[in-house]
Amino acid sequence: MPTKQSDTAVSDTLARPRLKQLIADWRQTYDLIIFDSSDLLTNPSAQIIATLCDATLLSVNIGKTTKESLAHAKTTLTDVQATILGCVAVKQ
């Protein structure tokens, strides 16, 4: 998704049946499909992507991500019924 689009435009695109069909088609061809989305707490499209995936990994920036932000991200994913597979800690 181009990053210059508004959140509404991106969310509308992600919610379209065509994207769901594309993902279904890709599942027939590929063993693994990975979506790398933007920050879950600041970008609503990340929540939509999480609902389209089989599982979600949270990426946590060591020394930057707070416990509160991580708890909020977990709650956000739970609220949209996303499956949380685990967490990846990264240091930038």
Side-chain angles (χ1 to χ4, degrees):
M1 296 266 105
T3 57
K4 298 290 183 188
Q5 290 184 336
S6 71
D7 287 343
T8 304
V10 172
S11 296
D12 288 347
T13 300
L14 290 172
R16 290 187 182 165
R18 175 71 180 130
L19 180 60
K20 292 178 184 177
Q21 183 59 52
L22 279 172
I23 293 170
D25 293 346
W26 293 337
R27 285 183 172 163
Q28 299 298 316
T29 305
Y30 302 105
D31 294 328
L32 183 65
I33 304 165
I34 298 175
F35 289 89
D36 181 7
S37 70
S38 57
D39 185 346
L40 177 69
L41 298 180
T42 60
N43 193 331
S45 64
Q47 296 173 33
I48 295 169
I49 291 170
T51 66
L52 299 173
C53 296
D54 294 330
T56 303
L57 281 173
L58 283 170
S59 178
V60 177
N61 192 339
I62 296 172
K64 186 175 179 183
T65 304
T66 65
K67 289 179 183 179
E68 293 79 15
S69 292
L70 182 57
H72 185 37
K74 181 184 179 292
T75 299
T76 299
L77 289 172
T78 302
D79 288 349
V80 297
Q81 300 178 345
T83 301
I84 303 170
L85 187 61
C87 188
V88 176
V90 296
K91 186 169 184 174
Q92 295 179 336

Coordinates of all heavy atoms in Angstrom, one line a residue:
M1 N 0.8 -1.2 0.0 CA 0.0 0.0 0.0 C 0.9 1.2 0.0 O 1.8 1.3 0.8 CB -0.9 0.0 1.3 CG -1.8 -1.1 1.4 SD -3.4 -0.6 0.8 CE -3.5 -1.5 -0.7
P2 N 0.6 2.2 -0.8 CA 1.4 3.4 -0.8 C 1.2 4.1 0.5 O 0.1 4.2 1.0 CB 0.8 4.2 -2.0 CG 0.1 3.2 -2.8 CD -0.3 2.1 -1.9
T3 N 2.2 4.7 1.1 CA 2.1 5.3 2.4 C 1.5 6.7 2.3 O 1.2 7.2 3.3 CB 3.5 5.4 3.0 OG1 4.4 6.1 2.2 CG2 4.1 4.0 3.3
K4 N 1.4 7.3 1.2 CA 0.8 8.6 1.0 C -0.7 8.6 1.1 O -1.3 9.7 1.1 CB 1.3 9.3 -0.3 CG 2.8 9.5 -0.3 CD 3.3 10.5 0.7 CE 4.8 10.7 0.6 NZ 5.3 11.5 1.6
Q5 N -1.3 7.5 1.0 CA -2.8 7.5 1.0 C -3.3 7.7 2.4 O -2.6 7.5 3.4 CB -3.3 6.1 0.5 CG -3.1 5.8 -0.9 CD -3.7 4.5 -1.3 OE1 -3.9 3.6 -0.5 NE2 -4.0 4.4 -2.6
S6 N -4.5 8.3 2.5 CA -5.1 8.5 3.8 C -5.4 7.2 4.5 O -5.6 6.2 3.8 CB -6.3 9.4 3.7 OG -7.4 8.6 3.1
D7 N -5.6 7.2 5.8 CA -5.9 6.0 6.5 C -7.3 5.5 6.0 O -7.4 4.3 5.9 CB -6.0 6.3 8.0 CG -4.7 6.5 8.7 OD1 -3.7 6.1 8.1 OD2 -4.6 7.0 9.8
T8 N -8.2 6.4 5.7 CA -9.5 5.9 5.2 C -9.4 5.2 3.9 O -10.0 4.2 3.7 CB -10.4 7.1 5.1 OG1 -10.5 7.8 6.4 CG2 -11.8 6.7 4.7
A9 N -8.6 5.8 3.0 CA -8.4 5.1 1.6 C -7.8 3.8 1.8 O -8.2 2.8 1.1 CB -7.6 6.0 0.7
V10 N -6.8 3.7 2.6 CA -6.1 2.4 2.8 C -7.1 1.4 3.5 O -7.2 0.2 3.0 CB -4.8 2.5 3.7 CG1 -4.2 1.2 4.0 CG2 -3.8 3.4 2.9
S11 N -7.8 1.8 4.5 CA -8.7 0.9 5.1 C -9.8 0.4 4.2 O -10.2 -0.7 4.2 CB -9.4 1.6 6.4 OG -8.4 1.9 7.3
D12 N -10.3 1.3 3.4 CA -11.3 1.0 2.4 C -10.8 -0.1 1.4 O -11.5 -1.0 1.1 CB -11.8 2.2 1.6 CG -12.7 3.1 2.4 OD1 -13.1 2.7 3.5 OD2 -12.9 4.3 2.0
T13 N -9.6 0.1 1.0 CA -8.9 -0.9 0.0 C -8.8 -2.2 0.7 O -9.1 -3.3 0.1 CB -7.6 -0.3 -0.4 OG1 -7.7 0.9 -1.1 CG2 -6.9 -1.3 -1.4
L14 N -8.3 -2.2 1.9 CA -8.1 -3.5 2.6 C -9.4 -4.2 2.9 O -9.4 -5.4 3.0 CB -7.3 -3.2 4.0 CG -5.9 -2.8 3.8 CD1 -5.3 -2.4 5.2 CD2 -5.0 -3.9 3.2
A15 N -10.5 -3.5 3.1 CA -11.7 -4.1 3.5 C -12.5 -4.7 2.2 O -13.5 -5.3 2.4 CB -12.6 -3.1 4.2
R16 N -12.0 -4.4 1.1 CA -12.7 -4.8 -0.1 C -12.7 -6.3 -0.3 O -11.6 -7.0 0.0 CB -12.1 -4.1 -1.4 CG -12.4 -2.7 -1.4 CD -12.0 -2.1 -2.7 NE -12.2 -0.6 -2.6 CZ -11.7 0.2 -3.4 NH1 -10.9 -0.1 -4.4 NH2 -12.1 1.5 -3.3
P17 N -13.7 -6.9 -0.9 CA -13.7 -8.3 -1.1 C -12.6 -8.8 -2.1 O -12.1 -9.9 -2.0 CB -15.1 -8.6 -1.7 CG -15.9 -7.4 -1.3 CD -15.0 -6.3 -1.2
R18 N -12.2 -7.9 -2.9 CA -11.1 -8.3 -3.9 C -9.8 -8.7 -3.2 O -9.2 -9.6 -3.6 CB -10.8 -7.1 -4.9 CG -9.7 -7.3 -5.8 CD -10.0 -8.4 -6.9 NE -8.9 -8.6 -7.7 CZ -8.4 -9.7 -8.1 NH1 -8.9 -10.8 -7.6 NH2 -7.4 -9.8 -8.8
L19 N -9.5 -8.0 -2.1 CA -8.3 -8.3 -1.4 C -8.4 -9.7 -0.7 O -7.5 -10.5 -0.7 CB -7.9 -7.3 -0.3 CG -6.7 -7.6 0.5 CD1 -5.4 -7.7 -0.4 CD2 -6.5 -6.5 1.6
K20 N -9.6 -10.0 -0.2 CA -9.8 -11.3 0.5 C -9.7 -12.4 -0.6 O -9.2 -13.4 -0.3 CB -11.2 -11.3 1.1 CG -11.3 -10.4 2.3 CD -12.7 -10.4 2.9 CE -12.7 -9.4 4.1 NZ -14.0 -9.3 4.7
Q21 N -10.2 -12.1 -1.8 CA -10.1 -13.1 -2.9 C -8.6 -13.3 -3.3 O -8.2 -14.4 -3.5 CB -10.9 -12.7 -4.1 CG -10.9 -13.7 -5.2 CD -11.4 -15.1 -4.8 OE1 -12.5 -15.2 -4.2 NE2 -10.6 -16.1 -5.0
L22 N -7.9 -12.2 -3.3 CA -6.4 -12.3 -3.7 C -5.7 -13.2 -2.6 O -4.9 -14.0 -3.0 CB -5.8 -10.9 -3.7 CG -6.0 -10.1 -5.0 CD1 -5.4 -8.7 -4.8 CD2 -5.2 -10.8 -6.1
I23 N -6.0 -13.0 -1.4 CA -5.4 -13.8 -0.3 C -5.7 -15.2 -0.5 O -4.9 -16.1 -0.4 CB -5.7 -13.2 1.1 CG1 -5.1 -11.8 1.2 CG2 -5.2 -14.2 2.1 CD1 -5.5 -11.1 2.5
A24 N -7.0 -15.5 -0.8 CA -7.5 -16.9 -1.0 C -6.7 -17.5 -2.2 O -6.3 -18.7 -2.1 CB -9.0 -16.9 -1.2
D25 N -6.5 -16.7 -3.2 CA -5.8 -17.2 -4.4 C -4.3 -17.5 -4.0 O -3.8 -18.5 -4.4 CB -5.9 -16.2 -5.5 CG -7.3 -16.1 -6.1 OD1 -8.1 -16.9 -5.8 OD2 -7.5 -15.1 -6.9
W26 N -3.7 -16.6 -3.3 CA -2.3 -16.8 -2.9 C -2.1 -18.0 -2.1 O -1.1 -18.7 -2.2 CB -1.8 -15.6 -2.2 CG -1.7 -14.3 -3.0 CD1 -1.6 -14.2 -4.3 CD2 -1.8 -13.0 -2.5 NE1 -1.6 -12.9 -4.7 CE2 -1.6 -12.1 -3.6 CE3 -1.9 -12.4 -1.2 CZ2 -1.7 -10.7 -3.5 CZ3 -1.9 -11.0 -1.1 CH2 -1.8 -10.2 -2.2
R27 N -3.1 -18.3 -1.2 CA -3.0 -19.5 -0.3 C -3.0 -20.8 -1.1 O -2.5 -21.8 -0.7 CB -4.2 -19.5 0.7 CG -4.0 -18.5 1.8 CD -5.1 -18.6 2.8 NE -4.8 -17.7 3.9 CZ -5.7 -17.3 4.8 NH1 -6.9 -17.6 4.7 NH2 -5.3 -16.5 5.7
Q28 N -3.6 -20.8 -2.3 CA -3.6 -21.9 -3.2 C -2.2 -22.1 -3.8 O -1.8 -23.2 -4.2 CB -4.6 -21.8 -4.3 CG -6.0 -21.7 -3.8 CD -6.5 -23.0 -3.0 OE1 -6.2 -24.1 -3.4 NE2 -7.1 -22.8 -1.8
T29 N -1.4 -21.1 -4.0 CA -0.2 -21.1 -4.7 C 1.0 -21.1 -3.7 O 2.0 -21.8 -4.0 CB 0.0 -19.8 -5.6 OG1 -1.2 -19.8 -6.4 CG2 1.2 -19.9 -6.4
Y30 N 1.0 -20.5 -2.6 CA 2.1 -20.3 -1.7 C 1.9 -21.0 -0.4 O 0.8 -21.1 0.1 CB 2.4 -18.8 -1.5 CG 2.6 -18.0 -2.8 CD1 1.6 -17.2 -3.3 CD2 3.8 -18.2 -3.5 CE1 1.8 -16.5 -4.5 CE2 4.0 -17.5 -4.7 CZ 3.0 -16.6 -5.2 OH 3.2 -16.0 -6.3
D31 N 3.0 -21.5 0.1 CA 3.0 -22.1 1.4 C 2.9 -21.1 2.6 O 2.3 -21.4 3.6 CB 4.3 -22.9 1.7 CG 4.4 -24.1 0.7 OD1 3.4 -24.7 0.3 OD2 5.6 -24.4 0.4
L32 N 3.4 -19.9 2.4 CA 3.5 -18.9 3.4 C 3.3 -17.5 2.8 O 4.0 -17.2 1.8 CB 4.8 -19.0 4.2 CG 5.0 -18.1 5.4 CD1 4.1 -18.4 6.5 CD2 6.5 -18.3 5.8
I33 N 2.4 -16.8 3.4 CA 2.2 -15.4 3.0 C 2.5 -14.5 4.2 O 1.9 -14.7 5.3 CB 0.8 -15.1 2.5 CG1 0.4 -16.1 1.4 CG2 0.6 -13.7 2.0 CD1 -1.0 -16.2 1.1
I34 N 3.4 -13.5 4.0 CA 3.7 -12.6 5.2 C 3.4 -11.2 4.8 O 3.7 -10.7 3.8 CB 5.3 -12.7 5.5 CG1 5.6 -14.2 5.9 CG2 5.6 -11.7 6.6 CD1 7.1 -14.4 6.1
F35 N 2.6 -10.6 5.7 CA 2.3 -9.2 5.6 C 3.1 -8.4 6.6 O 3.1 -8.8 7.8 CB 0.8 -8.9 5.9 CG -0.1 -9.4 4.8 CD1 -0.6 -10.7 4.9 CD2 -0.5 -8.6 3.8 CE1 -1.4 -11.2 3.9 CE2 -1.3 -9.1 2.8 CZ -1.8 -10.4 2.9
D36 N 3.8 -7.4 6.2 CA 4.6 -6.5 7.2 C 3.8 -5.2 7.2 O 3.8 -4.4 6.2 CB 6.0 -6.4 6.6 CG 6.8 -5.5 7.6 OD1 6.4 -5.1 8.7 OD2 8.0 -5.2 7.2
S37 N 3.1 -4.9 8.3 CA 2.3 -3.7 8.3 C 3.0 -2.7 9.2 O 4.0 -2.9 9.9 CB 0.9 -4.1 8.9 OG 1.0 -4.4 10.2
S38 N 2.3 -1.5 9.2 CA 2.8 -0.4 10.0 C 2.4 -0.6 11.5 O 1.8 -1.5 11.8 CB 2.3 0.9 9.4 OG 0.9 0.8 9.4
D39 N 2.7 0.4 12.3 CA 2.5 0.4 13.7 C 1.0 0.2 14.0 O 0.1 0.9 13.5 CB 2.9 1.7 14.3 CG 2.8 1.8 15.8 OD1 2.1 1.0 16.4 OD2 3.4 2.7 16.4
L40 N 0.7 -0.9 14.8 CA -0.6 -1.3 15.1 C -1.4 -0.2 15.8 O -2.6 0.0 15.6 CB -0.6 -2.5 15.9 CG -1.9 -3.1 16.5 CD1 -2.7 -3.6 15.3 CD2 -1.7 -4.2 17.5
L41 N -0.7 0.6 16.7 CA -1.4 1.5 17.5 C -1.7 2.9 16.9 O -2.5 3.6 17.3 CB -0.7 1.7 18.8 CG -0.5 0.5 19.7 CD1 0.3 0.8 21.0 CD2 -1.8 -0.1 20.1
T42 N -1.0 3.1 15.8 CA -1.2 4.4 15.1 C -1.8 4.3 13.7 O -2.1 5.3 13.1 CB 0.1 5.2 15.0 OG1 1.0 4.4 14.2 CG2 0.7 5.5 16.3
N43 N -2.0 3.1 13.2 CA -2.5 2.9 11.9 C -3.6 1.8 11.8 O -3.4 0.7 12.0 CB -1.4 2.5 10.9 CG -1.7 2.6 9.5 OD1 -2.9 2.4 9.1 ND2 -0.7 2.8 8.7
P44 N -4.9 2.3 11.6 CA -6.0 1.3 11.6 C -5.9 0.2 10.6 O -6.4 -0.8 10.7 CB -7.2 2.2 11.3 CG -6.7 3.6 11.0 CD -5.3 3.6 11.3
S45 N -5.1 0.4 9.5 CA -5.0 -0.6 8.5 C -4.3 -1.8 9.0 O -4.5 -3.0 8.6 CB -4.3 -0.1 7.2 OG -3.0 0.3 7.5
A46 N -3.4 -1.7 10.0 CA -2.7 -2.8 10.6 C -3.7 -3.7 11.3 O -3.5 -5.0 11.3 CB -1.6 -2.3 11.6
Q47 N -4.7 -3.2 11.9 CA -5.8 -4.0 12.5 C -6.5 -4.8 11.5 O -6.9 -6.0 11.7 CB -6.7 -3.1 13.3 CG -6.1 -2.4 14.5 CD -7.0 -1.4 15.1 OE1 -8.2 -1.6 15.2 NE2 -6.5 -0.3 15.6
I48 N -6.8 -4.2 10.4 CA -7.6 -4.9 9.3 C -6.7 -6.0 8.8 O -7.2 -7.1 8.6 CB -8.0 -3.9 8.2 CG1 -9.0 -2.9 8.7 CG2 -8.6 -4.7 7.0 CD1 -9.2 -1.7 7.8
I49 N -5.4 -5.8 8.5 CA -4.5 -6.8 8.0 C -4.5 -8.0 9.0 O -4.5 -9.1 8.6 CB -3.1 -6.2 7.8 CG1 -3.2 -5.3 6.6 CG2 -2.1 -7.3 7.5 CD1 -1.9 -4.5 6.4
A50 N -4.4 -7.7 10.3 CA -4.4 -8.7 11.3 C -5.6 -9.6 11.2 O -5.5 -10.8 11.5 CB -4.3 -8.1 12.7
T51 N -6.8 -9.1 10.9 CA -8.0 -9.9 10.8 C -8.0 -10.8 9.6 O -8.7 -11.8 9.5 CB -9.3 -9.1 10.8 OG1 -9.3 -8.3 9.6 CG2 -9.3 -8.2 12.0
L52 N -7.2 -10.5 8.6 CA -7.1 -11.3 7.3 C -6.1 -12.4 7.4 O -6.0 -13.3 6.5 CB -6.8 -10.3 6.1 CG -7.8 -9.2 5.9 CD1 -7.3 -8.3 4.8 CD2 -9.1 -9.8 5.5
C53 N -5.2 -12.3 8.4 CA -4.1 -13.3 8.5 C -4.5 -14.5 9.5 O -5.4 -14.4 10.3 CB -2.9 -12.6 9.1 SG -2.3 -11.3 8.1
D54 N -3.8 -15.6 9.3 CA -4.0 -16.7 10.1 C -3.4 -16.5 11.5 O -4.0 -17.0 12.5 CB -3.3 -18.0 9.5 CG -4.0 -18.4 8.3 OD1 -5.2 -18.2 8.1 OD2 -3.2 -19.0 7.4
A55 N -2.3 -15.7 11.6 CA -1.7 -15.4 12.9 C -0.9 -14.1 12.8 O -0.6 -13.7 11.7 CB -0.8 -16.5 13.3
T56 N -0.7 -13.5 13.9 CA 0.0 -12.2 14.0 C 1.2 -12.3 15.0 O 1.1 -12.9 16.0 CB -1.0 -11.2 14.5 OG1 -2.1 -11.1 13.7 CG2 -0.3 -9.8 14.6
L57 N 2.3 -11.7 14.5 CA 3.4 -11.6 15.4 C 3.6 -10.1 15.8 O 3.5 -9.2 14.9 CB 4.7 -12.0 14.7 CG 5.0 -13.5 14.6 CD1 6.2 -13.7 13.7 CD2 5.3 -14.0 16.0
L58 N 3.7 -9.8 17.0 CA 4.0 -8.4 17.5 C 5.5 -8.2 17.4 O 6.3 -9.0 17.9 CB 3.5 -8.2 18.9 CG 2.0 -8.0 19.0 CD1 1.6 -8.1 20.5 CD2 1.5 -6.7 18.4
S59 N 5.9 -7.0 16.9 CA 7.3 -6.6 16.9 C 7.5 -5.6 18.0 O 6.8 -4.6 18.0 CB 7.7 -6.1 15.6 OG 9.0 -5.6 15.6
V60 N 8.4 -5.8 18.9 CA 8.6 -5.0 20.1 C 10.0 -4.4 20.0 O 11.0 -5.1 19.8 CB 8.4 -5.7 21.4 CG1 8.7 -4.8 22.6 CG2 7.0 -6.3 21.5
N61 N 10.1 -3.1 20.0 CA 11.4 -2.4 19.9 C 12.0 -2.3 21.3 O 11.5 -1.6 22.2 CB 11.2 -1.0 19.3 CG 12.5 -0.4 19.0 OD1 13.6 -0.7 19.5 ND2 12.5 0.6 18.1
I62 N 13.0 -3.0 21.6 CA 13.7 -3.1 22.9 C 14.1 -1.7 23.3 O 14.8 -1.0 22.5 CB 14.9 -4.0 22.9 CG1 14.4 -5.5 22.7 CG2 15.6 -4.0 24.3 CD1 15.5 -6.4 22.5
G63 N 13.8 -1.2 24.5 CA 14.1 0.1 25.0 C 13.2 1.2 24.6 O 13.4 2.3 25.0
K64 N 12.3 0.9 23.7 CA 11.4 1.9 23.2 C 9.9 1.6 23.4 O 9.2 2.5 23.9 CB 11.6 2.2 21.7 CG 10.8 3.3 21.1 CD 11.1 3.6 19.7 CE 10.3 4.8 19.1 NZ 10.6 5.0 17.7
T65 N 9.5 0.4 23.2 CA 8.2 0.0 23.4 C 7.9 -0.2 24.9 O 8.6 -0.9 25.6 CB 7.9 -1.4 22.7 OG1 8.1 -1.3 21.3 CG2 6.4 -1.8 22.9
T66 N 6.9 0.5 25.4 CA 6.6 0.4 26.8 C 5.6 -0.8 27.1 O 5.0 -1.3 26.2 CB 5.8 1.7 27.3 OG1 4.6 1.8 26.6 CG2 6.7 2.9 27.0
K67 N 5.6 -1.2 28.3 CA 4.7 -2.3 28.7 C 3.3 -1.9 28.4 O 2.5 -2.8 28.0 CB 4.9 -2.6 30.2 CG 6.2 -3.3 30.6 CD 6.2 -3.5 32.1 CE 7.6 -4.1 32.4 NZ 7.7 -4.3 33.9
E68 N 2.9 -0.6 28.7 CA 1.6 -0.2 28.4 C 1.2 -0.3 26.9 O 0.1 -0.7 26.6 CB 1.4 1.3 28.9 CG 1.5 1.4 30.4 CD 2.9 1.4 30.9 OE1 3.9 1.6 30.1 OE2 3.1 1.3 32.1
S69 N 2.2 0.1 26.0 CA 1.9 0.0 24.6 C 1.7 -1.4 24.2 O 0.9 -1.7 23.3 CB 3.1 0.7 23.8 OG 3.1 2.0 24.0
L70 N 2.6 -2.3 24.7 CA 2.5 -3.7 24.4 C 1.1 -4.3 24.8 O 0.5 -5.0 24.1 CB 3.6 -4.5 25.0 CG 3.7 -6.0 24.7 CD1 3.7 -6.2 23.2 CD2 4.9 -6.6 25.4
A71 N 0.7 -3.9 26.0 CA -0.6 -4.4 26.6 C -1.7 -3.8 25.7 O -2.7 -4.6 25.4 CB -0.8 -4.0 28.0
H72 N -1.6 -2.6 25.3 CA -2.6 -2.0 24.4 C -2.7 -2.7 23.1 O -3.8 -2.9 22.5 CB -2.4 -0.5 24.3 CG -3.4 0.3 23.5 ND1 -4.8 0.0 23.6 CD2 -3.3 1.3 22.6 CE1 -5.4 0.8 22.8 NE2 -4.6 1.6 22.2
A73 N -1.5 -3.0 22.5 CA -1.5 -3.7 21.2 C -2.1 -5.1 21.3 O -2.9 -5.5 20.5 CB 0.0 -3.8 20.8
K74 N -1.9 -5.8 22.4 CA -2.5 -7.1 22.6 C -4.0 -7.0 22.7 O -4.7 -7.7 22.1 CB -1.9 -7.7 23.9 CG -2.5 -9.1 24.2 CD -1.9 -9.7 25.5 CE -2.5 -11.0 25.7 NZ -3.9 -11.0 26.0
T75 N -4.4 -6.0 23.5 CA -5.9 -5.8 23.6 C -6.5 -5.4 22.3 O -7.6 -5.9 22.0 CB -6.2 -4.6 24.7 OG1 -5.6 -5.0 25.9 CG2 -7.7 -4.4 24.8
T76 N -5.9 -4.6 21.5 CA -6.4 -4.2 20.2 C -6.5 -5.4 19.3 O -7.5 -5.6 18.6 CB -5.4 -3.2 19.5 OG1 -5.4 -2.0 20.4 CG2 -5.9 -2.8 18.2
L77 N -5.5 -6.3 19.3 CA -5.6 -7.5 18.5 C -6.7 -8.5 19.0 O -7.4 -9.1 18.2 CB -4.2 -8.2 18.4 CG -3.2 -7.5 17.6 CD1 -1.8 -8.1 17.8 CD2 -3.5 -7.4 16.1
T78 N -6.8 -8.6 20.3 CA -7.8 -9.4 20.9 C -9.2 -8.9 20.5 O -10.1 -9.7 20.2 CB -7.6 -9.5 22.4 OG1 -6.3 -10.0 22.7 CG2 -8.7 -10.4 23.0
D79 N -9.4 -7.6 20.6 CA -10.7 -7.0 20.3 C -11.1 -7.3 18.8 O -12.3 -7.4 18.6 CB -10.6 -5.5 20.5 CG -10.6 -5.1 22.0 OD1 -10.8 -6.0 22.8 OD2 -10.3 -3.9 22.3
V80 N -10.2 -7.4 17.9 CA -10.5 -7.6 16.5 C -10.5 -9.1 16.2 O -10.5 -9.5 15.0 CB -9.7 -6.8 15.5 CG1 -9.9 -5.3 15.7 CG2 -8.2 -7.2 15.5
Q81 N -10.3 -9.9 17.2 CA -10.2 -11.4 17.1 C -9.1 -11.9 16.3 O -9.2 -12.9 15.6 CB -11.6 -11.9 16.7 CG -12.7 -11.6 17.6 CD -14.1 -12.1 17.2 OE1 -14.3 -12.5 16.0 NE2 -15.0 -12.1 18.1
A82 N -8.0 -11.2 16.3 CA -6.8 -11.7 15.6 C -6.1 -12.7 16.5 O -6.1 -12.7 17.7 CB -5.8 -10.5 15.4
T83 N -5.5 -13.7 15.9 CA -4.7 -14.7 16.6 C -3.3 -14.2 16.8 O -2.6 -14.0 15.8 CB -4.7 -16.0 15.8 OG1 -6.0 -16.5 15.6 CG2 -3.9 -17.1 16.5
I84 N -2.9 -14.1 18.0 CA -1.5 -13.7 18.3 C -0.6 -14.9 18.5 O -0.8 -15.7 19.4 CB -1.5 -12.8 19.6 CG1 -2.4 -11.6 19.5 CG2 0.0 -12.4 19.9 CD1 -2.6 -10.9 20.8
L85 N 0.4 -15.0 17.6 CA 1.3 -16.2 17.6 C 2.4 -16.0 18.6 O 2.8 -16.9 19.2 CB 1.8 -16.4 16.2 CG 2.7 -17.6 15.9 CD1 1.9 -18.9 16.2 CD2 3.2 -17.6 14.5
G86 N 2.9 -14.7 18.7 CA 4.0 -14.5 19.6 C 4.5 -13.0 19.4 O 3.8 -12.2 18.9
C87 N 5.7 -12.9 19.9 CA 6.3 -11.5 19.9 C 7.8 -11.7 19.4 O 8.4 -12.6 19.8 CB 6.2 -11.0 21.3 SG 6.7 -9.3 21.5
V88 N 8.2 -10.7 18.7 CA 9.6 -10.6 18.2 C 10.2 -9.3 18.8 O 9.7 -8.2 18.7 CB 9.7 -10.5 16.7 CG1 11.1 -10.4 16.2 CG2 9.0 -11.8 16.1
A89 N 11.3 -9.5 19.5 CA 12.0 -8.3 20.1 C 13.1 -7.9 19.1 O 13.9 -8.7 18.7 CB 12.6 -8.7 21.4
V90 N 13.1 -6.6 18.8 CA 14.1 -6.0 17.9 C 14.8 -4.9 18.6 O 14.2 -4.2 19.4 CB 13.5 -5.6 16.6 CG1 13.0 -6.8 15.8 CG2 12.5 -4.5 16.7
K91 N 16.0 -4.6 18.2 CA 16.7 -3.5 18.8 C 17.2 -2.6 17.6 O 17.9 -3.1 16.8 CB 17.9 -3.9 19.7 CG 18.6 -2.8 20.4 CD 19.5 -3.3 21.4 CE 20.1 -2.0 22.1 NZ 21.0 -2.4 23.2
Q92 N 16.8 -1.4 17.6 CA 17.1 -0.5 16.5 C 18.1 0.6 17.0 O 18.1 1.0 18.1 CB 15.9 0.2 15.9 CG 15.0 -0.8 15.3 CD 13.8 -0.2 14.7 OE1 13.3 0.9 15.1 NE2 13.2 -0.9 13.7

